[in-house]
Amino acid sequence: ALNVGLRRLGMSQAGATPLWHSGAGALGGWLLGGLLVAALTLGFPLGVRVGAQGRTGVYPSADLPAPLQAAVRRSTFREGLMDVWSASPALRTLLVPDRR
């Protein structure tokens, strides 16, 4: 409702809004929303497993409560974002800041 009111107020003062404004807003919203979902999906703590191969990271940590751990493991977003672990350092720092 606030958006419609502000749009009407702006249109009455400045004329029609160019179409590319809507496209730029949609693209920016999509990118910001995607980064937010990715950061929230990968924001749970990492676990460390020590085995014959040495130390390996486990996501999500086994210390999470069982229902939450099961939900994260079955998440479609997590499956799609697992390639982030081997991505560029800049992307890893942006989405998974506790990875060293």
Coordinates of all heavy atoms in Angstrom, one line a residue:
A1 N 0.8 -1.2 0.0 CA 0.0 0.0 0.0 C 0.9 1.3 0.0 O 0.6 2.2 -0.7 CB -0.9 0.0 1.2
L2 N 2.0 1.2 0.8 CA 2.9 2.3 0.8 C 3.5 2.6 -0.5 O 3.6 3.7 -1.0 CB 4.0 2.1 1.9 CG 5.0 3.2 2.1 CD1 4.3 4.5 2.5 CD2 6.0 2.7 3.1
N3 N 3.9 1.5 -1.2 CA 4.5 1.6 -2.5 C 3.5 2.2 -3.5 O 3.9 3.1 -4.3 CB 4.9 0.2 -3.0 CG 5.5 0.2 -4.4 OD1 6.0 1.3 -4.8 ND2 5.5 -0.9 -5.1
V4 N 2.3 1.8 -3.5 CA 1.3 2.4 -4.4 C 1.1 3.9 -4.1 O 1.0 4.7 -5.0 CB -0.1 1.6 -4.4 CG1 -1.2 2.3 -5.1 CG2 0.1 0.2 -4.9
G5 N 1.0 4.2 -2.8 CA 0.8 5.6 -2.5 C 2.0 6.5 -2.9 O 1.8 7.6 -3.5
L6 N 3.2 6.0 -2.7 CA 4.3 6.8 -3.1 C 4.5 6.9 -4.6 O 4.9 7.9 -5.1 CB 5.6 6.1 -2.5 CG 5.8 6.3 -1.0 CD1 7.0 5.5 -0.5 CD2 5.9 7.8 -0.6
R7 N 4.1 5.8 -5.3 CA 4.2 5.8 -6.7 C 3.2 6.8 -7.3 O 3.5 7.6 -8.2 CB 3.9 4.4 -7.3 CG 3.9 4.5 -8.8 CD 3.7 3.1 -9.4 NE 5.0 2.5 -9.5 CZ 5.2 1.3 -10.0 NH1 4.2 0.6 -10.4 NH2 6.4 0.9 -10.1
R8 N 2.0 6.9 -6.8 CA 1.0 7.9 -7.2 C 1.4 9.3 -6.9 O 1.3 10.2 -7.7 CB -0.4 7.6 -6.6 CG -1.0 6.4 -7.2 CD -2.4 6.2 -6.8 NE -3.0 5.0 -7.4 CZ -4.1 4.5 -7.0 NH1 -4.9 5.1 -6.1 NH2 -4.6 3.4 -7.6
L9 N 2.0 9.4 -5.8 CA 2.5 10.8 -5.4 C 3.7 11.2 -6.3 O 3.7 12.3 -6.8 CB 3.0 10.8 -3.9 CG 3.6 12.1 -3.4 CD1 2.5 13.2 -3.4 CD2 4.2 11.9 -2.1
G10 N 4.6 10.2 -6.6 CA 5.7 10.5 -7.5 C 5.2 10.7 -8.9 O 5.8 11.6 -9.6
M11 N 4.3 10.0 -9.4 CA 3.8 10.1 -10.8 C 3.1 11.4 -11.0 O 3.1 12.0 -12.0 CB 2.9 9.0 -11.2 CG 3.7 7.7 -11.3 SD 2.6 6.3 -11.7 CE 2.1 6.7 -13.4
S12 N 2.4 11.9 -9.9 CA 1.7 13.2 -10.1 C 2.6 14.3 -10.1 O 2.3 15.4 -10.7 CB 0.6 13.3 -9.0 OG 1.3 13.5 -7.7
Q13 N 3.8 14.2 -9.6 CA 4.8 15.3 -9.5 C 5.8 15.2 -10.7 O 6.2 16.2 -11.2 CB 5.5 15.3 -8.2 CG 4.6 15.6 -7.0 CD 5.4 15.5 -5.7 OE1 6.5 15.1 -5.7 NE2 4.7 15.9 -4.6
A14 N 6.2 14.0 -11.1 CA 7.3 13.9 -12.0 C 6.9 13.3 -13.4 O 7.7 13.2 -14.2 CB 8.4 13.1 -11.4
G15 N 5.7 12.9 -13.5 CA 5.3 12.2 -14.8 C 5.5 10.7 -14.7 O 5.7 10.2 -13.6
A16 N 5.4 10.0 -15.8 CA 5.5 8.6 -15.8 C 7.0 8.1 -15.6 O 7.9 8.8 -16.0 CB 5.1 8.1 -17.2
T17 N 7.1 7.0 -14.9 CA 8.4 6.4 -14.6 C 8.9 5.6 -15.8 O 8.1 4.8 -16.4 CB 8.3 5.5 -13.4 OG1 7.7 6.2 -12.3 CG2 9.6 4.9 -13.0
P18 N 10.1 5.8 -16.2 CA 10.6 5.0 -17.4 C 10.6 3.5 -17.0 O 10.7 3.1 -15.9 CB 12.1 5.4 -17.5 CG 12.2 6.8 -16.8 CD 11.1 6.7 -15.7
L19 N 10.4 2.7 -18.1 CA 10.3 1.2 -17.9 C 11.6 0.6 -17.4 O 11.6 -0.4 -16.6 CB 9.9 0.6 -19.3 CG 9.7 -0.9 -19.3 CD1 8.6 -1.2 -18.3 CD2 9.4 -1.4 -20.7
W20 N 12.8 1.2 -17.7 CA 14.0 0.5 -17.3 C 14.2 0.6 -15.8 O 14.9 -0.1 -15.2 CB 15.2 1.1 -18.0 CG 15.5 2.6 -17.7 CD1 15.1 3.7 -18.3 CD2 16.4 3.0 -16.7 NE1 15.6 4.8 -17.7 CE2 16.4 4.4 -16.7 CE3 17.2 2.4 -15.7 CZ2 17.1 5.2 -15.8 CZ3 17.9 3.1 -14.8 CH2 17.9 4.5 -14.9
H21 N 13.5 1.6 -15.1 CA 13.5 1.7 -13.6 C 13.0 0.4 -13.0 O 13.5 -0.1 -12.1 CB 12.7 2.8 -13.1 CG 13.4 4.2 -13.3 ND1 13.1 5.2 -12.6 CD2 14.4 4.6 -14.2 CE1 13.9 6.3 -12.9 NE2 14.6 5.9 -13.9
S22 N 11.9 -0.1 -13.6 CA 11.3 -1.4 -13.1 C 12.2 -2.5 -13.3 O 12.4 -3.4 -12.4 CB 10.0 -1.6 -13.8 OG 9.1 -0.6 -13.5
G23 N 12.9 -2.6 -14.4 CA 13.8 -3.7 -14.7 C 15.0 -3.6 -13.8 O 15.5 -4.7 -13.3
A24 N 15.6 -2.4 -13.6 CA 16.7 -2.3 -12.7 C 16.3 -2.7 -11.3 O 17.1 -3.3 -10.6 CB 17.3 -0.9 -12.8
G25 N 15.2 -2.3 -10.8 CA 14.7 -2.6 -9.5 C 14.5 -4.1 -9.3 O 14.8 -4.7 -8.3
A26 N 13.9 -4.8 -10.3 CA 13.7 -6.2 -10.3 C 15.0 -6.9 -10.3 O 15.2 -7.9 -9.5 CB 12.9 -6.6 -11.5
L27 N 16.0 -6.5 -11.1 CA 17.3 -7.2 -11.1 C 18.0 -7.0 -9.8 O 18.6 -8.0 -9.2 CB 18.1 -6.6 -12.3 CG 19.5 -7.2 -12.4 CD1 19.5 -8.7 -12.7 CD2 20.3 -6.5 -13.5
G28 N 18.0 -5.8 -9.3 CA 18.7 -5.5 -8.0 C 18.0 -6.3 -6.8 O 18.7 -6.9 -6.0
G29 N 16.7 -6.4 -6.8 CA 16.0 -7.1 -5.8 C 16.3 -8.6 -5.9 O 16.4 -9.3 -4.9
W30 N 16.3 -9.1 -7.1 CA 16.6 -10.6 -7.3 C 18.0 -10.9 -6.9 O 18.2 -11.9 -6.2 CB 16.5 -10.9 -8.8 CG 16.7 -12.3 -9.1 CD1 15.7 -13.3 -9.0 CD2 17.8 -13.0 -9.6 NE1 16.3 -14.5 -9.4 CE2 17.6 -14.3 -9.8 CE3 19.1 -12.5 -10.0 CZ2 18.5 -15.2 -10.2 CZ3 20.0 -13.4 -10.4 CH2 19.7 -14.7 -10.5
L31 N 19.0 -10.0 -7.2 CA 20.4 -10.3 -6.7 C 20.5 -10.2 -5.2 O 21.2 -11.0 -4.6 CB 21.4 -9.3 -7.4 CG 21.6 -9.5 -8.9 CD1 22.4 -8.4 -9.5 CD2 22.3 -10.9 -9.1
L32 N 20.0 -9.1 -4.6 CA 20.0 -9.0 -3.2 C 19.3 -10.1 -2.5 O 19.8 -10.7 -1.5 CB 19.4 -7.6 -2.8 CG 19.5 -7.3 -1.3 CD1 21.0 -7.2 -0.9 CD2 18.9 -5.9 -1.1
G33 N 18.1 -10.5 -3.0 CA 17.4 -11.6 -2.4 C 18.2 -12.9 -2.5 O 18.2 -13.7 -1.5
G34 N 18.8 -13.1 -3.6 CA 19.6 -14.4 -3.8 C 20.7 -14.4 -2.9 O 21.0 -15.5 -2.3
L35 N 21.4 -13.3 -2.7 CA 22.6 -13.3 -1.8 C 22.1 -13.5 -0.3 O 22.8 -14.2 0.5 CB 23.3 -12.0 -1.9 CG 24.3 -11.9 -3.1 CD1 24.9 -10.5 -3.1 CD2 25.4 -12.9 -3.0
L36 N 21.0 -12.9 0.0 CA 20.4 -13.1 1.4 C 20.0 -14.6 1.6 O 20.4 -15.1 2.7 CB 19.2 -12.2 1.6 CG 18.5 -12.3 2.9 CD1 19.5 -11.9 4.0 CD2 17.3 -11.5 2.9
V37 N 19.4 -15.2 0.7 CA 19.0 -16.6 0.8 C 20.2 -17.5 0.9 O 20.3 -18.4 1.7 CB 18.0 -17.1 -0.3 CG1 17.9 -18.6 -0.4 CG2 16.7 -16.4 -0.2
A38 N 21.2 -17.2 0.1 CA 22.5 -18.0 0.1 C 23.2 -17.9 1.4 O 23.7 -18.8 2.0 CB 23.4 -17.6 -1.1
A39 N 23.3 -16.6 1.9 CA 24.0 -16.4 3.2 C 23.2 -17.1 4.4 O 23.9 -17.6 5.2 CB 24.1 -14.9 3.4
L40 N 21.9 -17.0 4.4 CA 21.1 -17.7 5.4 C 21.2 -19.2 5.3 O 21.3 -19.9 6.3 CB 19.7 -17.2 5.4 CG 19.4 -15.8 5.8 CD1 18.0 -15.4 5.5 CD2 19.8 -15.5 7.2
T41 N 21.2 -19.7 4.1 CA 21.3 -21.1 3.9 C 22.7 -21.7 4.4 O 22.8 -22.7 5.0 CB 21.1 -21.5 2.4 OG1 19.8 -21.0 2.0 CG2 21.2 -23.0 2.2
L42 N 23.8 -20.9 4.1 CA 25.1 -21.4 4.4 C 25.6 -20.8 5.8 O 26.8 -21.0 6.1 CB 26.1 -21.1 3.3 CG 25.8 -21.7 2.0 CD1 26.7 -21.2 0.9 CD2 25.8 -23.2 2.1
G43 N 24.7 -20.2 6.5 CA 25.2 -19.5 7.7 C 25.2 -20.4 9.0 O 25.6 -19.9 10.0
F44 N 24.9 -21.6 8.9 CA 24.9 -22.5 10.1 C 26.4 -22.9 10.3 O 27.2 -22.9 9.4 CB 24.0 -23.7 9.8 CG 22.6 -23.4 9.8 CD1 21.9 -23.3 8.6 CD2 21.9 -23.2 11.0 CE1 20.6 -23.0 8.6 CE2 20.5 -22.9 11.0 CZ 19.9 -22.8 9.8
P45 N 26.7 -23.3 11.5 CA 28.1 -23.6 11.9 C 28.6 -24.8 11.2 O 27.9 -25.8 10.9 CB 28.1 -23.8 13.4 CG 26.7 -24.0 13.8 CD 25.8 -23.4 12.7
L46 N 29.9 -24.8 10.9 CA 30.6 -26.0 10.3 C 31.0 -26.9 11.4 O 31.3 -26.5 12.5 CB 31.8 -25.5 9.6 CG 31.7 -24.7 8.3 CD1 33.0 -24.1 7.9 CD2 31.0 -25.5 7.2
G47 N 31.0 -28.2 11.1 CA 31.6 -29.2 12.0 C 32.9 -29.7 11.5 O 33.2 -29.6 10.3
V48 N 33.7 -30.3 12.3 CA 35.0 -30.8 11.9 C 35.0 -32.3 12.2 O 34.7 -32.7 13.3 CB 36.1 -30.1 12.6 CG1 37.5 -30.8 12.2 CG2 36.1 -28.7 12.3
R49 N 35.3 -33.1 11.2 CA 35.4 -34.6 11.4 C 36.8 -35.0 11.2 O 37.5 -34.6 10.2 CB 34.5 -35.3 10.3 CG 34.5 -36.8 10.5 CD 33.7 -37.5 9.4 NE 32.3 -37.0 9.5 CZ 31.5 -37.0 8.5 NH1 31.9 -37.3 7.3 NH2 30.2 -36.6 8.7
V50 N 37.4 -35.7 12.1 CA 38.7 -36.1 12.1 C 38.7 -37.6 11.7 O 38.1 -38.4 12.5 CB 39.5 -35.9 13.4 CG1 40.9 -36.4 13.3 CG2 39.5 -34.4 13.8
G51 N 39.4 -38.0 10.7 CA 39.4 -39.4 10.2 C 40.7 -39.7 9.7 O 41.7 -39.0 9.8
A52 N 40.8 -40.8 8.9 CA 42.0 -41.3 8.3 C 42.6 -40.3 7.3 O 43.8 -40.3 7.0 CB 41.8 -42.7 7.7
Q53 N 41.7 -39.6 6.7 CA 42.1 -38.6 5.6 C 42.5 -37.3 6.2 O 42.8 -36.3 5.5 CB 40.9 -38.4 4.6 CG 40.5 -39.6 4.0 CD 39.1 -39.5 3.4 OE1 38.3 -38.6 3.8 NE2 38.7 -40.4 2.5
G54 N 42.4 -37.1 7.5 CA 42.7 -35.9 8.2 C 41.5 -35.1 8.6 O 40.4 -35.8 8.7
R55 N 41.6 -33.8 8.8 CA 40.4 -33.0 9.2 C 39.6 -32.6 8.0 O 40.1 -32.2 7.0 CB 40.9 -31.8 9.9 CG 41.5 -32.0 11.2 CD 42.1 -30.8 11.8 NE 41.1 -29.7 11.7 CZ 41.1 -28.7 12.5 NH1 41.9 -28.5 13.5 NH2 40.2 -27.7 12.3
T56 N 38.3 -32.9 8.0 CA 37.4 -32.4 7.0 C 36.2 -31.7 7.6 O 35.8 -31.9 8.7 CB 36.8 -33.6 6.2 OG1 36.2 -34.5 7.1 CG2 37.9 -34.4 5.4
G57 N 35.7 -30.7 6.8 CA 34.6 -29.9 7.3 C 33.3 -30.7 7.0 O 33.2 -31.3 5.9
V58 N 32.4 -30.6 7.9 CA 31.0 -31.2 7.7 C 30.0 -30.1 7.8 O 30.1 -29.3 8.8 CB 30.8 -32.2 8.8 CG1 29.4 -32.8 8.7 CG2 31.8 -33.3 8.7
Y59 N 29.1 -30.0 6.9 CA 28.1 -28.9 6.9 C 26.7 -29.6 6.8 O 26.5 -30.4 5.9 CB 28.2 -27.9 5.8 CG 27.2 -26.8 5.9 CD1 27.5 -25.8 6.9 CD2 26.1 -26.8 5.2 CE1 26.6 -24.8 7.0 CE2 25.2 -25.8 5.3 CZ 25.4 -24.8 6.2 OH 24.5 -23.8 6.4
P60 N 25.9 -29.3 7.7 CA 26.0 -28.5 9.0 C 26.6 -29.3 10.1 O 26.7 -30.5 10.0 CB 24.5 -28.2 9.3 CG 23.7 -29.4 8.8 CD 24.5 -29.8 7.6
S61 N 27.0 -28.6 11.1 CA 27.6 -29.2 12.3 C 26.7 -30.3 12.9 O 25.5 -30.1 13.0 CB 28.0 -28.1 13.3 OG 28.5 -28.7 14.5
A62 N 27.3 -31.3 13.5 CA 26.6 -32.3 14.2 C 26.1 -31.8 15.5 O 25.2 -32.4 16.2 CB 27.4 -33.5 14.4
D63 N 26.5 -30.6 16.0 CA 26.1 -30.0 17.2 C 24.7 -29.4 17.2 O 24.2 -29.0 18.2 CB 27.1 -29.0 17.7 CG 28.5 -29.6 18.0 OD1 28.5 -30.9 18.3 OD2 29.5 -28.9 18.0
L64 N 24.2 -29.2 16.0 CA 22.9 -28.6 15.8 C 21.8 -29.5 16.4 O 22.0 -30.8 16.3 CB 22.6 -28.3 14.4 CG 23.3 -27.1 13.7 CD1 23.0 -27.1 12.2 CD2 23.0 -25.8 14.4
P65 N 20.7 -29.0 16.8 CA 19.6 -29.9 17.2 C 19.2 -30.8 16.0 O 19.2 -30.3 14.9 CB 18.5 -28.9 17.6 CG 19.2 -27.7 17.9 CD 20.4 -27.6 17.1
A66 N 18.8 -32.0 16.3 CA 18.5 -33.0 15.3 C 17.4 -32.5 14.2 O 17.7 -32.7 13.0 CB 18.0 -34.3 15.9
P67 N 16.3 -31.9 14.6 CA 15.4 -31.5 13.6 C 15.9 -30.4 12.7 O 15.7 -30.4 11.5 CB 14.2 -30.9 14.4 CG 14.3 -31.5 15.8 CD 15.8 -31.7 16.0
L68 N 16.7 -29.5 13.3 CA 17.3 -28.4 12.5 C 18.4 -29.0 11.5 O 18.4 -28.6 10.4 CB 17.9 -27.3 13.4 CG 18.5 -26.1 12.7 CD1 17.5 -25.4 11.8 CD2 19.1 -25.2 13.7
Q69 N 19.2 -29.9 12.0 CA 20.2 -30.5 11.2 C 19.6 -31.3 10.0 O 20.1 -31.2 8.9 CB 21.1 -31.4 12.0 CG 22.2 -32.0 11.3 CD 23.1 -32.9 12.1 OE1 22.6 -33.4 13.1 NE2 24.3 -33.1 11.8
A70 N 18.5 -32.0 10.3 CA 17.8 -32.7 9.2 C 17.2 -31.8 8.2 O 17.3 -32.1 7.0 CB 16.8 -33.6 9.8
A71 N 16.7 -30.7 8.6 CA 16.1 -29.7 7.7 C 17.1 -29.1 6.8 O 16.9 -28.9 5.6 CB 15.3 -28.7 8.5
V72 N 18.3 -28.8 7.4 CA 19.4 -28.2 6.6 C 19.9 -29.2 5.6 O 20.2 -28.8 4.5 CB 20.5 -27.6 7.5 CG1 21.7 -27.2 6.7 CG2 20.0 -26.5 8.4
R73 N 20.1 -30.4 6.0 CA 20.7 -31.4 5.1 C 19.7 -31.7 4.0 O 20.2 -32.0 2.9 CB 20.9 -32.7 5.9 CG 22.1 -32.7 6.8 CD 22.5 -34.1 7.2 NE 23.5 -34.1 8.1 CZ 24.8 -33.9 7.8 NH1 25.2 -33.8 6.6 NH2 25.7 -33.9 8.7
R74 N 18.4 -31.6 4.1 CA 17.5 -31.9 3.1 C 17.1 -30.7 2.2 O 16.4 -30.7 1.3 CB 16.2 -32.5 3.6 CG 16.4 -33.9 4.1 CD 15.0 -34.4 4.6 NE 14.5 -33.6 5.6 CZ 13.9 -34.0 6.7 NH1 13.7 -35.3 6.9 NH2 13.5 -33.2 7.6
S75 N 17.7 -29.5 2.6 CA 17.4 -28.3 1.9 C 17.8 -28.3 0.4 O 18.9 -28.6 0.1 CB 18.0 -27.1 2.6 OG 17.9 -25.9 1.9
T76 N 16.9 -27.9 -0.4 CA 17.2 -27.8 -1.8 C 18.2 -26.7 -2.1 O 19.1 -26.8 -2.9 CB 15.9 -27.5 -2.6 OG1 15.0 -28.5 -2.4 CG2 16.2 -27.4 -4.1
F77 N 18.1 -25.6 -1.3 CA 19.1 -24.5 -1.5 C 20.5 -25.0 -1.1 O 21.5 -24.6 -1.8 CB 18.7 -23.3 -0.6 CG 17.5 -22.6 -1.0 CD1 16.4 -22.6 -0.2 CD2 17.4 -22.0 -2.3 CE1 15.2 -21.9 -0.6 CE2 16.3 -21.3 -2.7 CZ 15.2 -21.3 -1.9
R78 N 20.6 -25.7 -0.1 CA 22.0 -26.2 0.4 C 22.6 -27.1 -0.7 O 23.7 -26.9 -1.1 CB 21.9 -27.0 1.7 CG 23.3 -27.5 2.2 CD 23.2 -28.4 3.3 NE 22.8 -29.8 2.9 CZ 23.6 -30.7 2.5 NH1 24.9 -30.5 2.4 NH2 23.2 -31.9 2.1
E79 N 21.8 -27.9 -1.3 CA 22.3 -28.8 -2.4 C 22.8 -28.0 -3.6 O 23.8 -28.3 -4.2 CB 21.2 -29.8 -2.9 CG 20.9 -30.8 -1.9 CD 22.0 -31.7 -1.5 OE1 22.8 -32.1 -2.4 OE2 22.1 -32.1 -0.3
G80 N 22.1 -26.9 -3.9 CA 22.5 -26.1 -5.0 C 23.7 -25.2 -4.7 O 24.4 -24.7 -5.6
L81 N 23.9 -24.9 -3.4 CA 25.0 -24.0 -3.0 C 26.3 -24.7 -2.6 O 27.2 -24.1 -2.2 CB 24.5 -23.1 -2.0 CG 23.5 -22.1 -2.4 CD1 22.9 -21.4 -1.2 CD2 24.1 -21.1 -3.4
M82 N 26.3 -26.0 -2.6 CA 27.5 -26.7 -2.1 C 28.8 -26.5 -2.9 O 29.9 -26.6 -2.4 CB 27.2 -28.2 -2.0 CG 26.3 -28.6 -0.9 SD 26.7 -27.9 0.8 CE 28.1 -28.9 1.1
D83 N 28.6 -26.0 -4.1 CA 29.8 -25.7 -4.9 C 30.5 -24.4 -4.5 O 31.6 -24.1 -4.9 CB 29.4 -25.5 -6.4 CG 29.0 -26.8 -7.1 OD1 29.4 -27.9 -6.5 OD2 28.3 -26.8 -8.1
V84 N 29.8 -23.7 -3.6 CA 30.5 -22.5 -3.0 C 31.7 -22.8 -2.2 O 32.7 -22.0 -2.2 CB 29.4 -21.7 -2.1 CG1 30.1 -20.6 -1.3 CG2 28.3 -21.2 -3.0
W85 N 31.8 -24.0 -1.6 CA 32.9 -24.4 -0.8 C 34.2 -24.4 -1.7 O 35.3 -24.2 -1.2 CB 32.7 -25.8 -0.2 CG 31.5 -25.8 0.7 CD1 30.4 -26.6 0.4 CD2 31.3 -25.2 1.9 NE1 29.5 -26.4 1.4 CE2 30.0 -25.5 2.4 CE3 32.0 -24.3 2.7 CZ2 29.5 -25.1 3.5 CZ3 31.5 -23.8 3.8 CH2 30.2 -24.2 4.3
S86 N 34.1 -24.6 -3.0 CA 35.3 -24.7 -3.8 C 35.3 -23.5 -4.8 O 36.1 -23.5 -5.7 CB 35.3 -26.0 -4.7 OG 34.1 -26.1 -5.4
A87 N 34.5 -22.4 -4.5 CA 34.5 -21.2 -5.3 C 35.6 -20.3 -5.0 O 36.5 -20.6 -4.2 CB 33.1 -20.5 -5.1
S88 N 35.6 -19.1 -5.6 CA 36.7 -18.1 -5.4 C 36.6 -17.7 -4.0 O 35.6 -17.7 -3.3 CB 36.4 -17.0 -6.4 OG 35.3 -16.2 -6.0
P89 N 37.8 -17.2 -3.5 CA 37.9 -16.7 -2.1 C 36.9 -15.6 -1.8 O 36.3 -15.5 -0.7 CB 39.3 -16.3 -1.9 CG 40.1 -17.0 -3.0 CD 39.1 -17.2 -4.1
A90 N 36.7 -14.7 -2.8 CA 35.8 -13.6 -2.6 C 34.3 -14.1 -2.3 O 33.6 -13.6 -1.4 CB 35.8 -12.6 -3.7
L91 N 33.9 -15.0 -3.1 CA 32.5 -15.5 -3.0 C 32.4 -16.3 -1.7 O 31.4 -16.2 -1.0 CB 32.2 -16.4 -4.2 CG 30.7 -16.9 -4.2 CD1 29.7 -15.7 -4.3 CD2 30.5 -17.8 -5.4
R92 N 33.4 -17.1 -1.3 CA 33.4 -17.8 0.0 C 33.3 -16.9 1.2 O 32.6 -17.1 2.1 CB 34.6 -18.7 0.1 CG 34.5 -20.0 -0.6 CD 35.6 -21.0 -0.2 NE 36.9 -20.4 0.1 CZ 37.9 -20.6 -0.7 NH1 37.8 -21.3 -1.8 NH2 39.1 -20.0 -0.4
T93 N 34.1 -15.8 1.1 CA 34.1 -14.8 2.2 C 32.7 -14.1 2.3 O 32.2 -13.9 3.4 CB 35.2 -13.8 2.0 OG1 36.4 -14.4 2.0 CG2 35.2 -12.8 3.1
L94 N 32.1 -13.8 1.2 CA 30.8 -13.2 1.2 C 29.7 -14.1 1.7 O 28.9 -13.7 2.5 CB 30.4 -12.8 -0.2 CG 29.1 -12.1 -0.4 CD1 29.1 -10.7 0.3 CD2 28.8 -11.9 -1.9
L95 N 29.7 -15.4 1.4 CA 28.6 -16.3 1.8 C 28.9 -17.1 2.9 O 28.0 -17.5 3.7 CB 28.2 -17.2 0.6 CG 27.7 -16.4 -0.6 CD1 27.4 -17.4 -1.8 CD2 26.4 -15.7 -0.3
V96 N 30.2 -17.5 3.1 CA 30.6 -18.4 4.2 C 31.8 -17.8 5.0 O 32.9 -18.2 4.8 CB 31.0 -19.8 3.7 CG1 31.1 -20.8 4.9 CG2 30.0 -20.3 2.7
P97 N 31.6 -16.8 5.8 CA 32.7 -16.1 6.4 C 33.5 -16.9 7.4 O 34.7 -16.5 7.6 CB 32.0 -14.9 7.1 CG 30.6 -15.3 7.3 CD 30.3 -16.2 6.2
D98 N 33.0 -18.0 8.0 CA 33.8 -18.7 8.9 C 34.6 -19.8 8.3 O 35.3 -20.5 9.1 CB 32.9 -19.3 10.0 CG 31.9 -20.3 9.5 OD1 31.7 -20.3 8.3 OD2 31.3 -21.1 10.3
R99 N 34.7 -19.9 7.0 CA 35.5 -20.9 6.4 C 37.0 -20.4 6.3 O 37.2 -19.3 6.0 CB 35.1 -21.1 5.0 CG 36.1 -21.9 4.2 CD 35.7 -22.9 3.3 NE 36.9 -23.6 2.9 CZ 36.9 -24.3 1.8 NH1 35.9 -24.5 1.1 NH2 38.0 -24.9 1.5
R100 N 37.9 -21.2 6.7 CA 39.3 -20.8 6.7 C 40.1 -21.8 5.9 O 39.8 -22.9 5.7 CB 39.9 -20.8 8.1 CG 39.3 -19.7 8.9 CD 39.9 -19.6 10.3 NE 39.4 -18.5 11.0 CZ 38.3 -18.5 11.7 NH1 37.5 -19.5 11.8 NH2 37.9 -17.4 12.3

